Amino acid sequence: MPQLSSDPSAPAPCAPGPDGSRLVALDWGTTSARAYLLDSAGTVLDTAPAGRGILAVTDGLTTDQERRAAFEEEFERMCGRWLEAHPSVPVLASGMVGSNQGWADVPYQRLPQDLGALAGALTEIPTRRGPVHVVPGLLADGVLPQVMRGEETQILGVLESAHGDTDTGERRGTLVVLPGTHTKWVRVEERRVLDFLTVMTGEVYGLVTRHSILGRLARRPDAPDLGAFDRGVRTSLGADPDGGILATLFSARTLPLTGRLAAEQVDDYVSGLMIGAEVASCVRGRLASGGSPGARPPEVLLCGEPELCRRYQRALHQLGVDAPVVGGDVVTHGLRSIALAAGLLDPPAKGTA
Amino acid sequence: MPQLSSDPSAPAPCAPGPDGSRLVALDWGTTSARAYLLDSAGTVLDTAPAGRGILAVTDGLTTDQERRAAFEEEFERMCGRWLEAHPSVPVLASGMVGSNQGWADVPYQRLPQDLGALAGALTEIPTRRGPVHVVPGLLADGVLPQVMRGEETQILGVLESAHGDTDTGERRGTLVVLPGTHTKWVRVEERRVLDFLTVMTGEVYGLVTRHSILGRLARRPDAPDLGAFDRGVRTSLGADPDGGILATLFSARTLPLTGRLAAEQVDDYVSGLMIGAEVASCVRGRLASGGSPGARPPEVLLCGEPELCRRYQRALHQLGVDAPVVGGDVVTHGLRSIALAAGLLDPPAKGTA
């Protein structure tokens, strides 16, 4: 294992590069890596060509030493020219790069976790360019343990994008929904993560539409059919719960078989069935529980791939829940916020750009 | 399309072959075909080598004529020598062979359906060996349509195996559970099918254990680990329902990740999670509904691949439901029963074998 330090003794913020660059921000996940050069206001000055995710970086390698070398090489490929030009700019990374399959196994932080305090729990990976600081993921223990790596930083960015840096303390709770391969439903109060749930809807959707018997009567549509999607959502919301989603799914075979669903509608209908079942169940569980009687229900914020967020938004709308989609570079917002709190970055002087 | 007749004008039972053979019984499904030579008591005198299922038979063929010829050829390969020796023995088939992807598209019978009346709804496919009589499948229309082909014959066999030919009329209802790729939960009173549900547990289990991220921390076990299976069932039965099975599934990743489930236990744990979720939901729905207040809950009978039935039995047991497994040749029992009712077969004379 690399020599790690989880005791970042508040390194002094570095002098900016001549173009105002102040932070290298890395979003390094399972299947992709993105690197950004930021100024102190969080503006993206430059973006590196997409890097390889941790699976591709470590593919075929067996020893820890080989893996470390491969990560450092990939890091150099993405960020080397920036650090050559501005050697003093600090580097902050989040995501699966900090997992036991990544560059270094960064211990999880346990819930409840104030996201503002993550800055005090960074791990340093030494490189010839200086340390790469890595944000820890979150762990909720229990019968069904929950883990995230990278999403904690996105959530911080979502909250800042939606609410600004200041927090009035009067705000009702927030349910941050991050649709994706493994959708996260995260209950937050102020910046404190109370609990979260991971739902494998995206991955199982891909498997059943590509590989199950449902594909046999399906045809790939030319464009998304949101009417078929809405019908799937309605079916899940109104369905007799017998057998759950694994039972309602079979209607994606029997409806085309009985001439009541077109072959081109099957995939969007399945998407509606699955997202509808997920949303109904999670809204019931997450919006109803945890609040004191008479309390306002939490606001719901969506963040992720726009087309997928739109589907979650439509499904939530059928349940009477309005959920805005938070766009923009939430990861860079989150990384900048953590860098500021960690003292890796000075706040921008007032009145200057 | 072949020339079909759904008006079997009660053909006279044929003279037995010299060895007492009276019926060729065919169980012809999607992935396999089995042919049996029966005497009038239903005893299996001979079995044909396994034939190809309808997918393999029609693979690569495009015209109806080609497909019909391929089915007749496969039929000849399985049963030709029997019909050569005993040209007058009638042939009765059930399963997907009677679907729009099979030999002939036999119309579904709608629910509620008395299984004893299926004999009056056979379709004949003409062949050079004489007609093949095909049992129709069942269709339940609705928002979530339900279909079966072949299971109706198995259910008849299950009921006869469990209750005998005679029916007292006093029996409480029966829930016949046929575990498999697509498990069927079938509510029956006497021989009348009231409704049924199809749950894709088996197929989705195969997909997620082979192709999802859950497989990455799993190792194939040398032998089934029923302790891990029971743990999965318990987890599903006790789980906060948030997100349903697609959420609880993720624990098959986080438990190994946090050192609380061995890599060899993942597959059996997932099996328990999925069967547990299915059983809990279906028992709640199927055992509670449909009965009048104070009525005895229906008996539950399991029939299918023995190892899989054992798992359903264990999961049902955790819910306090005892469900015997009905073994033996239920399809041949069902086909013999339909053949008797259709007049294709004489009942065995009393006192003779």
Side-chain angles (χ1 to χ4, degrees), chain B residues 67-194:
Chain B
R67 281 192 288 265
R68 280 200 306 275
F71 276 107
E72 184 153 359
E73 196 185 320
E74 188 72 6
F75 171 62
E76 179 67 22
R77 196 177 301 143
M78 285 191 284
C79 308
R81 65 196 168 91
W82 295 335
L83 294 164
E84 190 72 40
H86 320 300
S88 58
V89 170
V91 182
L92 183 62
S94 66
M96 289 298 284
V97 69
S99 73
N100 60 359
Q101 298 174 70
W103 197 347
D105 192 1
V106 176
Y108 288 108
Q109 296 297 107
R110 288 173 179 258
L111 296 193
Q113 171 67 38
D114 189 324
L115 294 173
L118 288 176
L122 304 183
T123 290
E124 288 181 28
I125 302 174
T127 79
R128 65 179 179 276
R129 296 287 185 190
V132 171
H133 303 267
V134 184
V135 179
L138 303 185
L139 167 70
D141 227 332
V143 176
L144 302 174
Q146 297 290 332
V147 292
M148 65 166 69
R149 281 199 193 272
E151 290 93 342
E152 71 297 321
T153 306
Q154 290 176 43
I155 295 162
L156 197 53
V158 166
L159 297 173
E160 297 208 345
S161 293
H163 304 153
D165 280 343
T166 55
D167 216 315
T168 66
E170 299 171 283
R171 195 167 296 116
R172 57 181 175 159
T174 305
L175 188 59
V176 180
V177 184
L178 305 171
T181 308
H182 299 157
T183 298
K184 302 279 185 192
W185 292 73
V186 188
R187 219 152 52 88
V188 185
E189 270 177 20
E190 305 304 330
R191 298 191 183 190
R192 198 174 164 82
V193 174
L194 302 181

